[in-house]
Amino acid sequence: MSFDAELNQRLDALRVQNLFRELRRVDSPQSPHLQINGQPFLNFSSNDYLGLANHPALKEAATRAIEKFGAGSGASRLICGSLAPFHELETALAQFKQTEAALSFATGYAAALGTICALLGKDDIIILDKLVHACIVDAAKLSGAKIRVFAHNDLEDLEDKLKWASAKSLAASPAPRVLIVTESIFSMDGDVAPLREIVALKEKYGAWLMVDEAHATGIIGKNGRGLAEHLGVSAQIEIQMGTLGKALGASGGFICGSRTLIDFLINRARSFIFSTAPVPAAAAAATAGVQLAQSAEGEKLRQRLQSLIKQLQPAASSAIIPIILGDESKAMQAATKLREQNIFVPAIRYPTVARGAARLRVTLTASHSDDDLSRLVAALKSLNISPAT
Ligand SMILES: *Cc1c(COP(=O)(O)O)cnc(C)c1O
C-alpha cells in the first residue's frame, strides 16, 4: 500500500467514528465576531476570556517590539543572547504571580514538557488528575517516571496514590521524587480543583506540586492572579504553570516559582534550551496582557465576564460551559446545526475528552454583548439543548 493510501485508510477510520477534524480558515481577528468563508459567525469557541487578543494595548505593544527588536529572535535565548522583551515579560510575570522568578516558553505545551522532564526521571513518580491536559500527560510519559492517575478531583484516591508512593519510597534508595500535577480550572469541564486540600495532602506526604492555571490566569483571584493566590496557597506550590495564550491575549507559556527552580529550568528544560525563542512581539504583547489583567480595566472585564457567566449558567464556576451530549455524532450534529445559524461552538471529542463524553464547549468572553448571549441561548433552545444538561 502506498504511503498516502495507508494514511487515507487511517483517516477513514476517524471519519467513521465521527472523529475527523479539519481547519476552518478565519479572515478576521479573534473576537466574538468571526469571518469564515465570507460569512459572519458569532464566536463561542475561543479562550480569549478577557477579549485581549485584539486589544489596542496589546497590538501596540507588539508593533513597538517589532520596530525596536525586529520580527525574529535569531536562535535559542542561551545561544544568541536573550532579547529584552523576554526579561520584561518574566519580571512582570513574577510580580503578577508574586514569586521570586518566572520563565517564559514558546507555548504552555512546551512549558509542561520542558519542566516535567527536567524535574523527573525514570526512578521518580508522577501523580496526575485523570482530566489533566494532554501536554501534562505527554510530559509525564516522556519523562519516563512511573505514572499514577487519581480519579478527577478525588482526594481519597489521591491520598491512596500518595500512600502507594510513600511505600515505594521506603523500599527504594535513593527515594523517588513524587510530583502531583493538577489544573486549577479544568479545560474541558470548567470545574475547580480542591486546591487547598491537595496542598494539605502534598505537605502531609512530602510530595511536590505543580498546578496548571491555564484557564484561571487573568480571571480568578485578586488581579486575576489565579486560584492558588485566591485560596492563599501559592507559597506552598513549587511549580506554578500558566499560558499567555488564553486570558492574557498573546501566545506562549510560563512557569513561576523560586529563583532556584527557574535557574534549574534554564539549564535543564530541553524545550526551552533547544528551541528558537518566540518572536519578541509575542513577549511584548504578553507583557501588556499581564499589565492589563491587573489594571482597573482588567477588573471591569472580569466583572463583565462573571455577569455573562451568571446569565448563561448560574451554577458555572468558570467561563467554560460544557454541554455534554455523549455520542460523538450528536456533538457533531449539534455543532453543525449551530453553524447553520452562524454560531461557532466547537464539538469536543475523543481524544480531547473520553470516548462517549463528547460535548459542545461554549466559552464566554468579556467582549460578548448581551445580544450575542441571547442569540446563543435562542439557538441552543431551537436545538432543544440547554447549558444545564
Ligand atoms: C491550553 C492549555 C495548555 C497549553 O497551553 P498553550 O499555550 O496553548 O500551549 C496547557 N494546559 C491547559 C490546561 C490548557 O488548557
Side-chain angles (χ1 to χ4, degrees), residues 339-360:
R339 274 202 308 281
E340 285 164 9
Q341 300 189 43
N342 289 58
I343 296 181
F344 191 57
V345 177
I348 306 287
R349 295 158 286 161
Y350 178 83
T352 310
V353 295
R355 281 184 199 275
R359 65 198 62 187
L360 293 175

Side-chain angles (χ1 to χ4, degrees), residues 54 128 160 165 173 181 211 316 334 345 356:
N54 192 36
L128 308 176
D160 282 349
S173 171
V181 190
V211 179
V345 177

